[in-house]
Amino acid sequence: MCLRDAPGLPDFSLLKRLARDQLIYLLEQLPGKKDLFIDADLMSPLDRIANVTTLKQHEVDKLYKVELKPVVSVSDQLCFLIRPRIQTVKWIADVVKSDKAVGRFRRYKIIFTPQKFYACETVLEEQGVYGDVTSDEWEFYLLPLDDDIISLELPEFFRDNFLEGDQRWVTTAGSALRLLHFLFGPFSKVYGIGRCAKVKQVEDGEKKAQNPDIGNVFLIDRDVDFVTPLCSQVVYEGLVDDIFRIKCGSVEFGPDVTSTDKSLKVMLNSQDKVHVGETQRKKEIWWEKQRKKKRCGMDIKQMKAFVAEELKGLKQEHRLLSLHIGACESIMKKKTKQDFQELLKTEHSLLEGFEIRECITYIEEHINRQVSMIESLRLLCLLSLTENGESYGIEHLLSFANLRQIGLLVEQQPGETLTVMESKVGKLVNDKTAGKLTDAFSSLAKKSNFRALSKRLMLIPKTGEEYDLRVPRDMAYIFSGAYIPLSCKLIEQVLERDGWTGFEEVTRMLNGHEFAVTERGEQASEGRSVLMNELLSSVNTNITFPLAKGCKFIVLTTAITNSSRLLESLLDNQG
């Protein structure tokens, strides 16, 4: 259990130092100057661990992004920092074979991260270059994005595991948990729900920490709660993610926000002090201090310190505040243009189970107007999840088949028909596809699992009450008071109950696979932090609010996602 006197958070900067030290060691295994080729999706995480200056200090001459085309490097040593992907390994084999064909000798080193797979080594053998290349593993499992948010930065985990049935990344996630267990454990209790979570239970192993920083651990599969990532984000960071796409804890604001001809990258974490209300409060405190100082008087030395330190900090905050105001203006323009309030009203009605016919009409119009394929898919999936399926054929479209396979968009079974549409879904994929739209609805409704779960867990707050988003009273504030995230509610309830006992009905509706493990010899976890591990992916809205009084929560995720990323990963253009 967790007491009110919650502890400080663990120092996760240790994870960065360990990753940096290991990378430097691996680079030094190829002595002398070398060019470094970096996978595109590793460039941002790498910048958080070891910047260009650090790499240059260890004889990295030039840096290139892996683009799967002939290399232009003239260096005699090439180092490749990549994810363990077959396509990339084949490209490296082609580079080696091209050099051999013209009689050029170079040294080649592949650094796989977070681990190398047997399939990659098999490709090198099949291509006849296994003996020409050396390979290593950079065990870069965890990247701290903030004081209480850690990510594996593995967005492909979702499609590979939940759609393709490829469980190779489960081993990686397990290794990440074992690393936390070693550095900040042992964990007192491990709770989990979902097939992937059950496979990935933390095993007893070597334990370093004498005074563990983390008490309870929750492992939750993403498919336990698909509704939450499909809801529109309304907190500031979530809106920024929807419009500008947060990547690796930072966002790039374009000229429309910076009011210049350049883009600017900004870190979004607890170090960014610019929050509208908080900034105003701090300014008032700051000016009050200055008035007191003026009354007391300052000598020359104090004035110099004032100009060098306090004014410099204020200038930085002013610059960030201008950027965030520009971002807010851009968000308001785009959200107003897309009838955001009407969209939220439709979502809230779907969650509450009211005015379903009106919701269906709105979705039909949304599809017909060709507003956004992803947005239309999101609304269809939300309708499917909350109303127990759709009643039209979708098997012939690969994207829809993927959504169907994973359970996001499913057909209604005989006897389960609801008030839903025979939709013109072809328009979502091809303008020329003519889908027949009918108004044949059935009023014979059968309660879906979401509806039953919503009632059982009280996920929908009572309507009619005025909700002040500036003073949130529960977790629903992140969705304008309309919905409490299912996964977060599960954690709250399990903490209160100290286990899954009495929760059998809920876990049955979530397809079971729940478990609870208490480590041998461990005492209760009073006063420790709680680790929340979502497989796959946390949503920005999931990680911006407290879950229970007296507890400090740490989020460990395979990747940060939102509805667009989630659905894009399932589209048929994914190879």
Side-chain angles (χ1 to χ4, degrees):
M1 72 174 56
C2 296
L3 298 182
R4 293 192 174 184
D5 297 326
L9 293 167
D11 180 12
F12 292 122
S13 63
L14 174 60
L15 297 170
K16 287 186 179 182
R17 295 197 298 272
L18 289 173
R20 181 171 56 250
D21 290 347
Q22 189 190 16
L23 177 61
I24 290 170
Y25 172 78
L26 294 174
L27 290 174
E28 289 177 344
Q29 299 306 298
L30 192 64
K33 286 195 172 183
K34 58 245 174 204
D35 286 354
L36 180 62
F37 291 78
I38 308 168
D39 246 341
D41 59 353
L42 281 174
M43 298 192 84
S44 292
L46 179 62
D47 192 50
R48 300 283 297 267
I49 298 297
N51 56 26
V52 175
T53 303
T54 302
L55 297 174
K56 294 281 187 182
Q57 290 172 350
H58 297 278
E59 300 186 285
V60 172
D61 188 18
K62 294 180 180 178
L63 289 90
Y64 299 91
K65 182 169 70 173
V66 170
E67 295 180 318
L68 305 183
K69 61 185 183 180
V71 301
V72 296
S73 170
V74 296
S75 175
D76 290 331
Q77 298 195 115
L78 304 183
C79 186
F80 303 90
L81 181 60
I82 63 170
R83 294 290 192 200
R85 298 183 181 122
I86 300 297
Q87 185 182 22
T88 310
V89 176
K90 284 183 176 178
W91 168 73
I92 295 173
D94 289 341
V95 171
V96 176
K97 289 191 289 186
S98 296
D99 284 347
K100 290 169 75 174
V102 297
R104 177 159 193 175
F105 173 78
R106 300 201 232 205
R107 296 181 67 189
Y108 310 93
K109 182 181 183 68
I110 304 176
I111 300 176
F112 293 102
T113 186
Q115 64 190 94
K116 63 181 175 182
F117 296 131
Y118 173 74
C120 295
E121 294 183 311
T122 301
V123 169
L124 294 175
E125 277 192 58
E126 291 173 348
Q127 298 293 317
V129 297
Y130 186 79
D132 301 296
V133 177
T134 59
S135 63
D136 264 310
E137 285 183 338
W138 180 30
E139 296 174 345
F140 176 32
Y141 294 118
L142 298 167
L143 175 65
L145 299 180
D146 206 341
D147 294 340
D148 54 359
I149 304 170
I150 314 168
S151 174
L152 276 74
E153 291 299 295
L154 288 175
E156 59 261 58
F157 189 112
F158 180 60
R159 182 183 175 97
D160 286 354
N161 186 81
F162 291 104
L163 181 63
E164 306 291 350
D166 184 349
Q167 295 192 344
R168 58 181 177 161
W169 295 118
V170 176
T171 303
T172 304
S175 298
L177 268 179
R178 281 191 291 273
L179 178 60
L180 287 179
H181 186 260
F182 172 71
L183 295 174
F184 306 107
F187 309 142
S188 296
K189 290 187 178 179
V190 180
Y191 304 102
I193 185 166
R195 288 172 298 176
C196 185
K198 198 161 188 176
V199 170
K200 202 172 71 69
Q201 292 182 45
V202 184
E203 300 173 358
D204 286 338
E206 189 177 1
K207 304 169 185 178
K208 179 181 177 182
Q210 297 300 317
N211 297 308
D213 297 299
I214 299 173
N216 294 324
V217 173
F218 289 85
L219 308 178
I220 304 177
D221 282 12
R222 177 73 282 161
D223 61 358
V224 167
D225 177 17
F226 274 138
V227 170
T228 298
L230 291 176
C231 294
S232 290
Q233 304 188 80
V234 295
V235 296
Y236 175 65
E237 191 169 346
L239 290 168
V240 168
D241 187 35
D242 280 342
I243 301 298
F244 302 102
R245 290 289 180 106
I246 297 174
K247 187 176 181 180
C248 204
S250 66
V251 61
E252 187 169 327
F253 291 131
D256 58 327
V257 173
T258 62
S259 300
T260 66
D261 57 351
K262 296 180 180 179
S263 297
L264 189 63
K265 186 177 288 188
V266 176
M267 295 297 298
L268 292 178
N269 54 31
S270 57
Q271 303 304 313
D272 181 359
K273 299 177 182 178
V274 181
H275 299 92
V276 178
E278 187 68 8
T279 300
Q280 183 61 36
R281 185 183 67 82
K282 289 180 179 178
K283 281 186 178 179
E284 291 173 358
I285 294 173
W286 184 84
W287 284 114
E288 181 62 28
K289 286 182 179 178
Q290 305 323 308
R291 283 195 289 271
K292 289 180 179 179
K293 285 184 179 180
K294 283 182 179 179
R295 287 197 296 268
C296 298
M298 290 190 289
D299 57 28
I300 298 297
K301 185 177 180 181
Q302 290 173 324
M303 290 176 69
K304 283 184 177 180
F306 170 75
V307 172
E309 296 173 13
E310 299 196 46
L311 278 184
K312 181 180 177 181
L314 186 62
K315 185 177 180 181
Q316 174 73 1
E317 286 195 16
H318 182 269
R319 184 178 68 87
L320 285 173
L321 182 59
S322 298
L323 284 173
H324 285 296
I325 290 174
C328 288
E329 291 173 344
S330 181
I331 290 169
M332 289 296 291
K333 287 178 184 176
K334 293 177 181 178
K335 290 298 183 182
T336 302
K337 184 178 179 182
Q338 296 175 5
D339 303 320
F340 191 51
Q341 289 302 322
E342 190 67 26
L343 178 68
L344 287 180
K345 179 183 175 183
T346 300
E347 288 183 21
H348 294 174
S349 294
L350 288 174
L351 291 168
E352 294 170 8
F354 297 138
E355 300 179 339
I356 300 301
R357 286 177 180 268
E358 287 79 358
C359 294
I360 291 168
T361 300
Y362 176 84
I363 298 172
E364 290 175 356
E365 292 174 355
H366 198 277
I367 294 171
N368 290 332
R369 287 187 292 137
Q370 299 286 281
V371 176
S372 163
M373 183 188 76
I374 292 294
E375 277 293 288
S376 297
L377 280 175
R378 183 177 69 82
L379 290 170
L380 282 171
C381 290
L382 193 58
L383 173 64
S384 175
L385 289 167
T386 56
E387 293 298 322
N388 208 30
E390 285 299 303
S391 60
Y392 50 79
I394 57 177
E395 301 87 345
H396 61 291
L397 298 173
L398 184 56
S399 294
F400 285 84
N402 289 343
L403 293 169
R404 178 176 181 266
Q405 179 181 334
I406 208 165
L408 278 169
L409 188 63
V410 298
E411 300 166 275
Q412 290 180 341
Q413 300 301 315
E416 293 185 348
T417 52
L418 299 165
T419 53
V420 295
M421 59 182 168
E422 300 264 341
S423 173
K424 191 181 342 183
V425 297
K427 276 196 172 186
L428 291 176
V429 180
N430 190 332
D431 284 339
K432 297 179 181 179
T433 304
K436 185 180 180 181
L437 183 62
T438 74
D439 59 354
F441 299 106
S442 170
S443 61
L444 298 175
K446 180 179 178 180
K447 287 185 178 180
S448 67
N449 279 354
F450 175 79
R451 198 65 63 218
L453 284 166
S454 176
K455 184 177 180 180
R456 176 72 173 75
L457 295 173
M458 295 184 289
L459 300 180
I460 309 300
K462 294 179 180 178
T463 56
E465 296 182 11
E466 192 171 328
Y467 205 99
D468 187 355
L469 297 181
R470 294 170 298 181
V471 188
R473 59 176 180 265
D474 56 41
M475 294 181 284
Y477 88 91
I478 58 168
F479 290 121
S480 303
Y483 165 66
I484 297 173
L486 170 59
S487 50
C488 299
K489 190 70 172 181
L490 283 176
I491 293 175
E492 179 188 70
Q493 291 294 307
V494 172
L495 276 177
E496 288 181 0
R497 297 165 182 267
D498 197 21
W500 297 101
T501 304
F503 230 41
E504 291 80 8
E505 181 186 356
V506 169
T507 57
R508 179 181 55 77
M509 288 188 284
L510 293 170
N511 297 319
H513 301 288
E514 77 279 4
F515 62 88
V517 178
T518 302
E519 291 214 359
R520 293 190 297 270
E522 284 302 307
Q523 301 299 317
S525 57
E526 285 90 346
R528 301 185 199 170
S529 298
V530 177
L531 180 68
M532 173 182 172
N533 183 200
E534 291 199 84
L535 305 170
L536 154 103
S537 60
S538 296
V539 190
N540 275 300
T541 49
N542 268 34
I543 55 182
T544 53
F545 57 90
L547 290 165
K549 293 180 180 179
C551 294
K552 289 194 175 179
F553 286 84
I554 302 159
V555 175
L556 170 61
T557 177
T558 49
I560 304 293
T561 194
N562 60 21
S563 58
S564 296
R565 290 192 189 96
L566 196 75
L567 294 171
E568 285 166 3
S569 70
L570 301 174
L571 295 185
D572 60 350
N573 59 1
Q574 299 287 315

